[in-house]
Amino acid sequence: MQPDLLRYSCQMALPGFDEGTQDLLQNARVLIVGTGGLGCPAAQYLAAAGVGTLGIADFDTVSVGNLHRQVLFTPEEIGQMKALVACEKLQRQNPGIKLVPHVLKVTSANVMELLQEYDLVLDGTDNFDAKYLLNDACVLAGKPLVYGAIYQFEGQVAVWNVKQQGSFSPNYRDVYPEVDASQVPNCTEGGVIPTLAGMIGCMQANEVIKYITKTGDVLAGKMLLVDAQTMLSRIIKIGAVTKTSITSLSQTEEVPTVSPEELQQGLEAELYELVDVRSLAEREAFDIGGEHIPLAELDEEFHLTTEKPVVFYCASGKRSAEAVKRLQKRYPNRQMISLDGGLKAWLEQL
Amino acid sequence: MQPDLLRYSCQMALPGFDEGTQDLLQNARVLIVGTGGLGCPAAQYLAAAGVGTLGIADFDTVSVGNLHRQVLFTPEEIGQMKALVACEKLQRQNPGIKLVPHVLKVTSANVMELLQEYDLVLDGTDNFDAKYLLNDACVLAGKPLVYGAIYQFEGQVAVWNVKQQGSFSPNYRDVYPEVDASQVPNCTEGGVIPTLAGMIGCMQANEVIKYITKTGDVLAGKMLLVDAQTMLSRIIKIGAVTKTSITSLSQTEEVPTVSPEELQQGLEAELYELVDVRSLAEREAFDIGGEHIPLAELDEEFHLTTEKPVVFYCASGKRSAEAVKRLQKRYPNRQMISLDGGLKAWLEQL
Amino acid sequence: MKINVLAFGIAKDIFGGAATDVELAEKATVTELRTSLEAQYPRLKQLASYMVAVNNEYATADAVLQQRDEVAIIPPVSGG
Amino acid sequence: MKINVLAFGIAKDIFGGAATDVELAEKATVTELRTSLEAQYPRLKQLASYMVAVNNEYATADAVLQQRDEVAIIPPVSGG
């Protein structure tokens, strides 16, 4: 046996697997968007199993709050670009595959070009804007999307937009046509159990391998729900064919941000107004000043009384970005800014 | 927030979790036996989540056939001790915990002493002898055992021997009193999908975290079955209380082995008789000579016709070890030897 | 008829538990279930969309509910 | 009565498929099921032990089977 096949002998021994199956994996080109709690384990297993070309897209840097679930990273790498660190480690794990880092924020302006180089996309993102963007782009490009999402102890897995007998299986918008992101807490706010991220990421990699090797039943037209507290899971049938019609991408909204360091200097120089959009409980635990208006009350309670730019902050930068988007519509000619990375980044970087 | 708690803020934000929960994890001492397909992901997530003391027991070295599913290892580390490589990497992943390598084969002679230092054991082993040994030792020591096992596309997870209201939940022998190991193929022979190893290892780590933090429903008195081809899973109820009575450990049987290199030299010098105990299909694909008697036919077909020591071989060293055990009973005064690591090791090392 | 509705994700927070009961007319549709739930729990409507699954199958707006159906509310989840 | 028996792990190889049918007398016990299966598939007996689960519950030797029970054969698994 050739040395490169010896590595894969324990998977080539599987029923339905052989050298031809390994060739399918070697020739496959998979794009992983986001190397967070889902992307890390998914990338490890796809690299291990010999997926020939793995693209890793992430514009973010490693932060200390990532380390409880993002197992590719160590404290030494805090501040480094995740995509670069991940590619370097995965390359060492399997020198026989090609790793392609994409250090960029995937937006409506670049996603279609990015997808051209890949056969399939794995969604390792952590926000709704990115999930809808990937979904719509995969539908427009006619490529399958292996979706995963987690919150606290619960996870979801599905494979969207699989071509079957000339039509496409359902996509994310068949299940969730649109979402008000500000109403659904993310992992920073609601927490997440690290082992769930590992399970769901491995399940996504598993769907990728099944799809590429044409073995097993891919979760197309279905959504798997997993509960890590009870280990009960269920598969919801969505249907055979999509009922949505997606013809263009929503434009990615640019939210102006300020770094913790810039904000600190700006506050000292009295350049900014400051608004905390977190909940009362969060406010009471800790704050960096400013007016307190929970995001849900922003529409009624926020009144512009200053000429200065207004900086909004929350725990992670997510609710404050949402606040900026809403107030930009109300005050199109005024400067609304979000604290990048929220109080988490403030505490880590200052 | 202290920097060491910032690392865990996304899990401390979970309902039911707080600083006290993180202290429980920091004070816990978990022994992982076996850093294979299950032990690697389990160790990564327990280290990430901040389990304060992690023991890693493994006597084996990294081999190329491990790399498709054992994500802690790279080709550069082939030949190095798994326990040492794993501890070094896990320590870099989380410098705030204590890693304890145990480079030894866990046997009936050393297991009770080893268990004294730990609160809980995670079964990452890949053979029945080890699984029964850990089970019986945990029952005798009154400590819980987080069990996992995989084959092809199917996995099992359970937590054995949990003390509840003064009695203990079922253990492995409640479900499988004994097994003829030669009748159940292992991963080398039957294959295993790497992503299943990842899922099951993460599920084991998840049970460990639930047990330590007293959150969620631990799989005590239950066994979870997972099918990676369909992603259907089910939980089998075993019962509330064990019905077994385990009062002593079975003695670990020593099987004399020969390395591929020693065997090659010995065969050239005509020092050994050679017997291949694999199936006909395996024999036809490749062999290194010797008589061919499939393990199932050994009792009837094997007749000793030589004074020389007899070396048995199979794909992984597992069936040949079983052959040696059986024939040692039949010929107690003659030398029966197993090819260590089987043809896999032969092909890798020569 | 009284329908027991299971909660997933953020719906557990909104219902204040893993399940809630809803009183509906016989042969009520999924739309009527949504309307009733949203009246009781305004935050549910604010999500903009959430899946209703009946007996582990995605339920369209006009699907008719039976007393013994297992109904689950599955909101979107964004973490990663 | 005819009982449909689901196979897990190596039992799939032994049965030659994901399920097999067994013809049993009314009120047959799990022991009678085992005897019948082992007569049809001698390799099953060679495993030394395997779990019989009825309706997702571990079934003891004297448990009585019903026509509509979901019966699963779950052999031991050793990989890691």
Side-chain angles (χ1 to χ4, degrees), chain C residues 5-52:
Chain C
V5 178
L6 302 177
F8 286 80
I10 189 73
K12 282 184 185 164
D13 293 358
I14 295 175
F15 294 172
T20 189
D21 284 331
V22 187
E23 190 63 44
L24 292 175
E26 294 297 318
K27 299 193 181 167
T29 63
V30 165
T31 298
E32 286 159 334
L33 171 75
R34 285 180 186 265
T35 306
S36 174
L37 278 173
E38 289 168 11
Q40 210 175 333
Y41 305 103
R43 278 179 64 201
L44 204 54
K45 195 179 172 63
Q46 290 173 20
L47 294 176
S49 68
Y50 55 90
M51 171 164 43
V52 178

Side-chain angles (χ1 to χ4, degrees), chain B residues 37 69 126-128 131 149-151 154 156 174 176-180 183 185 223 225 234 236-237 318, chain D residues 6 8-10 12-13 46-51 53 56-58 60 70 74-80:
Chain B
R69 71 180 186 282
D126 64 354
N127 66 86
F128 286 113
K131 287 189 186 298
I150 49 177
Y151 174 66
E154 287 180 36
Q156 301 181 343
D174 280 283
Y176 301 117
E178 55 175 340
V179 173
D180 182 344
Q183 297 298 315
M223 189 161 87
L225 304 180
R234 56 173 77 205
I236 308 291
K237 283 189 205 164
K318 186 174 156 180
Chain D
L6 302 177
F8 286 80
I10 188 75
K12 282 185 186 163
D13 293 357
Q46 290 173 19
L47 295 176
S49 67
Y50 54 92
M51 171 163 42
N56 289 333
E57 201 154 335
Y58 178 91
T60 51
E70 193 214 46
I74 305 163
V77 168
S78 71

Side-chain angles (χ1 to χ4, degrees), chain B residues 47 57 64 69 74 78 89 92 103 114 138 140 142 161 185 196 199 224 257 276 299 308:
Chain B
V64 64
R69 71 180 186 282
T74 70
I78 290 173
K89 293 202 179 173
R92 249 184 285 155
V103 183
L114 187 60
C138 282
L140 292 175
N161 200 50
L196 175 69
M199 287 178 220
L224 171 70
T257 59
D276 176 359
D299 293 338
K308 293 179 192 169

Side-chain angles (χ1 to χ4, degrees), chain B residues 152-191:
Chain B
Q152 293 188 344
F153 303 100
E154 287 180 36
Q156 301 181 343
V157 184
V159 186
W160 307 129
N161 200 50
V162 176
K163 196 169 185 179
Q164 293 169 325
Q165 287 125 32
S167 58
F168 285 88
S169 74
N171 64 67
Y172 194 48
R173 288 196 192 268
D174 280 283
V175 181
Y176 301 117
E178 55 175 340
V179 173
D180 182 344
S182 66
Q183 297 298 315
V184 184
N186 64 14
C187 291
T188 309
E189 291 147 2

